[in-house]
Amino acid sequence: DDKPQLYVIALDGGEAARLTEMPLGVSNLRWAGHKIFFVSEVLPGYEGKLDSMKAELDRRKEKKVSAKTTEVRLFRYWDHWRTDGTVPHLCSIECKSGRGGALADLTPGWSRLLTDSGDLDYDVSPDAKEIAFSALEFGAPYDSLVNDVFLIDVTTPGAARNITPEN
């Protein structure tokens, strides 16, 4: 694949089954219950519109200009630029009997980086009903890099609750 995707294969062998086709790939996997949780970069405004996001990424790839401009403090992290406008989203996909099911964006509407590296630090509760993750308290231009811990109820995507507001 051009970008890393999620596959499953039976323990006794056979062919791997592809579960995702995320335009910017998947990373940081956790498997809990019948769901696999992962992080995928998205272009704000294209959440849930994977074909449109692919078309926009193809359009950007065709551009001849490689200059980077930004008003944002977090423009680069070690070896990669953060000026492409993508942000990490936490997603899940049902996986029963080695087959993919419903894909869910658990952080819809998030349009800011969640850490100064651009990655997403998270963990899933043993019953797979809640997710804790750390996120920057403030968005662009990221004058303050204060991190808080948030909880998401997996059944209500987007309803993240800050559990360290006095951090």
Side-chain angles (χ1 to χ4, degrees):
D1 293 317
D2 189 31
K3 298 287 183 178
Q5 300 297 329
L6 178 60
Y7 289 80
V8 293
I9 190 167
L11 289 175
D12 59 354
E15 290 295 316
R18 183 181 193 163
L19 299 183
T20 62
E21 291 196 36
M22 302 303 288
L24 292 167
V26 303
S27 65
N28 207 352
L29 307 172
R30 308 273 193 288
W31 193 324
H34 293 289
K35 290 187 178 187
I36 299 175
F37 299 89
F38 60 92
V39 175
S40 184
E41 295 282 326
V42 299
L43 288 170
Y46 290 91
E47 296 111 344
K49 304 177 211 165
L50 298 181
D51 290 335
S52 296
M53 189 184 325
K54 287 177 191 174
E56 173 61 15
L57 292 168
D58 288 343
R59 186 191 69 76
R60 289 181 179 193
K61 195 183 292 186
E62 295 298 318
K63 290 173 73 174
K64 304 290 184 211
V65 177
S66 62
K68 306 200 183 311
T69 62
T70 185
E71 296 290 325
V72 176
R73 176 182 184 182
L74 299 175
F75 63 92
R76 185 174 171 90
Y77 187 80
W78 291 96
D79 64 345
H80 61 275
W81 295 98
R82 295 296 318 166
T83 55
D84 59 3
T86 62
V87 292
H89 276 216
L90 184 58
C91 303
S92 69
I93 190 164
E94 294 279 337
C95 184
K96 293 182 182 176
S97 303
R99 297 175 194 250
L103 175 70
D105 183 345
L106 301 175
T107 52
W110 283 74
S111 60
R112 64 178 193 239
L113 297 177
L114 299 178
T115 63
D116 55 351
S117 69
D119 293 331
L120 177 60
D121 299 321
Y122 76 98
D123 212 343
V124 181
S125 65
D127 61 4
K129 292 182 179 178
E130 285 188 311
I131 297 173
F133 67 96
S134 66
L136 294 170
E137 184 177 355
F138 305 105
Y142 303 104
D143 294 334
S144 172
L145 298 180
V146 175
N147 279 295
D148 282 328
V149 178
F150 292 80
L151 280 180
I152 294 178
D153 179 338
V154 172
T155 61
T156 55
R161 180 171 51 97
N162 186 344
I163 62 171
T164 58
E166 283 131 30
N167 181 8

